[in-house]
Amino acid sequence: MTTENPLLTEWKTPYGLPPFAVVRAEHFAPAFDVALRQHIAEVERIAANPEAPTFDNTVAAFDASGRVLARISHLFHNLCSSETSPALQAVERTMSPRLAAHQNAIYLNAALFARVDSLHARRDTLGLTPEARRLLERVHLDFVLAGARLDDLAKKRFAAISERLAELQTTYSQNVLHDESTWVLWLKEERDLAGLPAFVRATAREAAQQRGRSDAWAITLSRSLVAPFLTNSDRRDLRERAFKAWTQRGEHAGEHDNRPVAREILALRHEQAKLMGYANYAEYALVDRMAGTPAAVARLLEQVWTPAKRRAAEERDALAAMAASRGEAITIEPWDWRYYAEKVRQVRYSVDDASVKPYFALERVVAAAFDCAERLFGLRFVPCPDVAAYHPDVKVYEVRGRDDRQVGVFLHDNFARATKRGGAWMSAYRLQSRIAGDVLPIIVNNNNFAKGAPGEPTLLSLDDALTLFHEFGHGLHGLLSQVTFESLSGTQVLRDFVELPSQIFENWLLEPEVLKRHACHFETGAPMPDDLITRLEQARRFNQGFETVEYTACALVDMALHAQANPDGVDITTFEREELARIGMPREIVMRHRLPHFLHLFASSGYAAGYYVYMWAEVLDADGYDAFLEAGSPFDPAVAERLRQYVYSAGNTLEPGAAFRAFRGRDPKVEPMLSKRGLAGAPASA
Ligand SMILES: [Zn+2]
């Protein structure tokens, strides 16, 4: 008996959504087999074309290849993140090395690269549209950076290094996971819980129950549990124990020690960079970034580092004064910072979750985000209650533009559940393109909010609400995309540009007129009071010295680590200690991610020599938002239209510097970011 594999048939579903109801884990491996073979055959046909290479028969054809594989991959990766199962995880383990090898097979295809390379050499004479020329340049660069120009021996070594790196990076992240899931601080009696608010107790109880104990509370090393514990626990001795365990993840001798793993990763990356003709890995990694060179990154970070340390020293003095006023004669240690900072925050701004959450019911925040998208870009989100996604909690919307035409589909998946990974992210089931007819984007936003009890609203904290706006900004980047070629679509931009559409969108949440209209009390319906709006705005600059120092130290150490002339045999713990001493790291603050558990750098190579990108994009978004303030309205139509055209709709069709200039009328300035963080000019008043 044969049954059709639903992954390989045409999807006759509303909007061409995946047929979620009939797809099962066992469909993926056989469907991938077919799709991978098909993609290789498509690419080989392009490479073996007897006709001379043209843009259409080579570059456009390459862009259009692998659509079946893409459709299956999007669905697979989305389900693995949002609604996984042991069966899917097993497929994931077997598929990830095969998908990596597939990439190598494509990008090391010499005949295909020869065609791309010959077109690239003649790019000025081909009469290409700007977008086609951009695609040719991007495809060519992808091939070059993947080793296509190397001789055969070097290609072999490059591929072998890539495979070994994939293995080491998996080991590195599993070691961190191991330390996070095995270490537990057990709280057994009321005095161990001193200071913990109800939501921390509930999460800790849940964590204990998952470990088979209902007579205690468990503090694990996951950030969502240990950070609120360090912020609220009155027990200084327990804070110290938890903090030390948290900051030593991956740094224990034995089988889960990340120090030798990181050492080998660094040596292999360096070898790869040398093979490619670069002096070190940082230079190689920066080739395809907006920043371009390590020196440009250093110039940005240097402007931030010294004022941030000065600000952090002032904050430390305020924490010490707070401790003294409570009769606690202590020197502020790293495990004290979050605790006393919270005390200072409550006294100075009288802002805490309890006073804010009633105004941020989930539906209200979603309505605010949709309303901002409509006022800025003319989008309307029409609920489709009859269209089912992969989980009953996922809401499906048809997105329509100003002319009422459909522009895409939006899936909103807001609640935490055991089958979903932590964090918040945007992803796509289908990317926008026009080369083979109008293909509309299908975009998903994932959050991990704790769902309200039955009959109760889900109330968000300010951080949660900002996260929702952030991911929605990424979502708009996917939905508003208007490009011809799929590989230039939506969020597939340079890594130090991709956080601009998301970070800038956060600004609209805190606009007083948005809060007045949407942040209404869930019981009384009353709008948020003016004085609370003011206090929220003032509290935004609070503790920015600390946050800037713990972030910027990471970015500085990352760049130094990957810029070493010879990283052979480097001990990451020693390197980190010496580098922090050199840059004058305040003793009360620890890097946000220390090197033995710095997943951005070592769980994959995407953010290696790239942790700076958040601050790079923050320069763009702070300066970009000022364009609205200068125009006199956060919804100024002319500024919004430029933002849509050159940022949200442009995908990767424009060089990012040119895109920003077209939007802003000039190059970005760093001052708005510095002042937003309270690091410029006169100190921010309390
Ligand atoms: Zn983001």
Side-chain angles (χ1 to χ4, degrees):
M1 183 189 96
T2 58
T3 42
E4 267 194 337
N5 188 326
L7 295 174
L8 296 169
T9 60
E10 197 191 332
W11 292 350
K12 291 177 186 149
T13 48
Y15 309 111
L17 283 166
F20 293 113
V22 295
V23 171
R24 291 191 303 279
E26 61 265 30
H27 292 135
F28 280 102
F32 270 123
D33 280 343
V34 172
L36 289 172
R37 267 203 312 275
Q38 197 177 322
H39 190 207
I40 292 285
E42 286 174 280
V43 165
E44 275 170 1
R45 255 197 315 279
I46 300 169
N49 190 337
E51 288 168 31
T54 63
F55 176 82
D56 286 339
N57 75 18
T58 301
V59 180
F62 182 65
D63 178 75
S65 70
R67 288 294 155 91
V68 176
L69 176 60
R71 187 176 82 159
I72 298 170
S73 297
H74 284 309
L75 173 60
F76 179 67
H77 294 304
N78 276 310
L79 289 180
C80 286
S81 299
S82 301
E83 185 62 1
T84 193
S85 66
L88 268 180
Q89 285 171 330
V91 181
E92 206 176 8
R93 280 193 295 275
T94 52
M95 279 318 300
S96 38
R98 288 190 58 201
L99 293 172
H102 180 73
Q103 285 299 102
N104 269 341
I106 304 278
Y107 283 100
L108 296 176
N109 182 320
L112 178 58
F113 178 63
R115 294 176 73 90
V116 173
D117 201 33
S118 85
L119 289 165
H120 185 256
R122 292 181 282 125
R123 61 193 179 281
D124 290 332
T125 63
L126 298 173
L128 298 175
T129 65
E131 184 179 340
R133 186 187 163 118
R134 176 80 179 161
L135 179 67
L136 170 56
E137 285 170 352
R138 296 298 309 165
V139 168
H140 186 259
L141 184 63
D142 286 345
F143 271 90
V144 169
L145 292 179
R149 270 212 183 124
L150 300 174
D151 63 42
D152 284 349
L153 201 65
K155 264 186 194 166
K156 262 204 185 114
R157 181 62 191 148
F158 192 91
I161 291 176
S162 303
E163 277 162 43
R164 177 66 181 149
L165 278 174
E167 218 173 336
L168 289 164
Q169 288 165 177
T170 307
T171 306
Y172 182 96
S173 60
Q174 285 176 354
N175 285 345
V176 176
L177 257 180
H178 170 269
D179 282 6
E180 286 182 356
S181 58
T182 51
W183 191 90
V184 176
L185 173 67
W186 289 105
L187 309 178
K188 293 176 192 132
E189 47 194 336
E190 191 55 37
R191 58 188 209 96
D192 297 340
L193 301 169
L196 300 185
F199 83 94
V200 182
R201 291 177 185 223
T203 322
R205 182 61 111 183
E206 169 86 29
Q209 277 161 354
Q210 281 171 8
R211 286 161 181 75
R213 286 184 65 168
S214 49
D215 62 336
W217 293 259
I219 300 300
T220 69
L221 297 181
S222 119
R223 183 177 288 271
S224 59
L225 197 45
V226 72
F229 177 77
L230 293 167
T231 304
N232 292 288
S233 173
D234 291 336
R235 286 282 299 273
R236 194 174 192 226
D237 58 330
L238 299 183
R239 291 202 310 265
E240 180 175 353
R241 271 172 59 196
F243 187 85
K244 285 183 170 165
W246 190 36
T247 50
Q248 284 164 11
R249 284 167 293 153
E251 198 181 20
H252 306 285
E255 103 181 270
H256 297 287
D257 190 351
N258 264 340
R259 289 168 291 189
V261 182
R263 184 187 308 145
E264 191 180 345
I265 290 175
L266 290 166
L268 289 174
R269 282 181 182 158
H270 187 68
E271 187 184 346
Q272 222 165 24
K274 296 292 269 190
L275 274 176
M276 295 295 297
Y278 296 95
N280 56 57
Y281 189 80
E283 286 191 8
Y284 171 50
L286 267 290
V287 171
D288 195 25
R289 301 258 180 79
M290 197 177 169
T293 62
V297 175
R299 275 196 298 278
L300 170 64
L301 297 178
E302 274 160 17
Q303 288 183 78
V304 171
W305 182 238
T306 303
K309 281 194 294 184
R310 203 182 309 128
R311 161 89 12 173
E314 293 162 15
E315 290 169 2
R316 178 206 54 215
D317 294 345
L319 305 191
M322 170 60 73
S325 77
R326 295 160 59 95
E328 293 149 18
I330 57 161
T331 304
I332 298 294
E333 297 290 346
W335 45 91
D336 297 321
W337 195 291
R338 287 175 174 77
Y339 177 77
Y340 288 105
E342 181 62 13
K343 300 279 175 277
V344 173
R345 186 170 78 114
Q346 283 167 1
V347 168
R348 271 196 203 165
Y349 305 103
S350 21
V351 168
D352 61 10
D353 280 353
S355 58
V356 172
K357 277 184 153 188
Y359 295 95
F360 285 144
L362 174 62
E363 299 70 48
R364 300 262 185 195
V365 180
V366 171
F370 288 174
D371 186 36
C372 289
E374 178 161 9
R375 295 176 73 185
L376 289 164
F377 309 122
L379 295 184
R380 286 192 307 117
F381 289 73
V382 184
C384 306
D386 299 331
V387 180
Y390 49 90
H391 188 281
D393 282 344
V394 182
K395 292 216 155 86
V396 179
Y397 299 86
E398 181 181 312
V399 187
R400 299 208 189 126
R402 282 212 168 87
D403 52 8
D404 211 38
R405 264 213 306 235
Q406 196 198 332
V407 300
V409 177
F410 180 62
L411 274 52
H412 218 179
D413 185 353
N414 283 314
F415 299 123
R417 56 178 171 267
T419 50
K420 193 199 269 194
R421 73 171 167 85
W425 66 97
M426 167 274 194
S427 180
Y429 282 88
R430 193 172 64 201
L431 299 168
Q432 181 274 335
S433 70
R434 285 196 291 242
I435 190 69
D438 247 349
V439 176
L440 300 182
I442 302 175
I443 301 299
V444 58
N445 270 183
N446 277 276
N447 289 299
N448 263 290
F449 305 139
K451 193 177 177 178
E456 300 284 322
T458 298
L459 301 179
L460 306 186
S461 66
L462 175 60
D463 275 355
D464 290 339
L466 285 167
T467 299
L468 188 146
F469 266 62
H470 178 102
E471 298 309 331
F472 191 66
H474 283 308
L476 292 175
H477 199 189
L479 287 166
L480 286 166
S481 175
Q482 288 199 27
V483 306
T484 304
F485 302 108
E486 191 187 90
S487 37
L488 300 177
S489 178
T491 56
Q492 301 176 106
V493 295
L494 272 58
R495 196 170 288 273
D496 37 13
F497 193 71
V498 75
E499 298 298 331
L500 166 60
S502 54
Q503 290 180 179
I504 198 171
F505 202 76
E506 292 177 36
N507 287 285
W508 278 280
L509 174 66
L510 289 176
E511 276 300 331
E513 69 167 287
V514 174
L515 290 173
K516 277 275 169 214
R517 189 191 286 208
H518 295 286
C520 299
H521 196 281
F522 77 101
E523 283 170 328
T524 65
M528 186 178 273
D530 289 330
D531 72 306
L532 182 53
I533 291 177
T534 310
R535 280 182 279 131
L536 272 183
E537 177 56 34
Q538 290 168 342
R540 281 196 95 184
R541 282 186 187 169
F542 176 67
N543 211 33
Q544 284 292 316
F546 171 84
E547 286 181 19
T548 309
V549 164
E550 69 158 12
Y551 166 84
T552 308
C554 288
L556 288 165
V557 170
D558 166 32
M559 289 306 292
L561 189 66
H562 285 101
Q564 294 175 91
N566 178 13
D568 271 1
V570 67
D571 176 74
I572 51 168
T573 311
T574 309
F575 183 91
E576 178 187 294
R577 190 176 56 242
E578 290 174 358
E579 186 61 19
L580 290 175
R582 198 184 66 76
I583 62 178
M585 181 74 164
R587 63 170 288 282
E588 305 85 359
I589 303 178
V590 171
M591 291 165 74
R592 184 172 171 83
H593 313 281
R594 290 193 50 239
L595 292 178
H597 48 257
F598 204 152
L599 293 167
H600 289 81
L601 305 196
F602 295 113
S604 72
S605 54
Y607 284 86
Y611 195 64
Y612 74 89
V613 302
Y614 298 97
M615 185 160 282
W616 188 273
E618 197 178 319
V619 172
L620 307 181
D621 82 68
D623 188 31
Y625 195 71
D626 277 2
F628 285 93
L629 306 183
E630 287 161 17
S633 161
F635 296 99
D636 182 84
V639 181
E641 175 52 23
R642 288 202 306 274
L643 182 63
R644 186 201 62 75
Q645 184 180 353
Y646 299 113
V647 178
Y648 282 99
S649 295
N652 201 358
T653 60
L654 300 172
E655 185 275 313
F660 188 87
R661 273 190 298 280
F663 155 55
R664 192 65 172 100
R666 56 163 172 73
D667 281 323
K669 290 183 185 164
V670 71
E671 289 75 15
M673 181 276 282
L674 294 174
S675 98
K676 214 175 129 191
R677 284 186 176 250
L679 301 175
S685 61

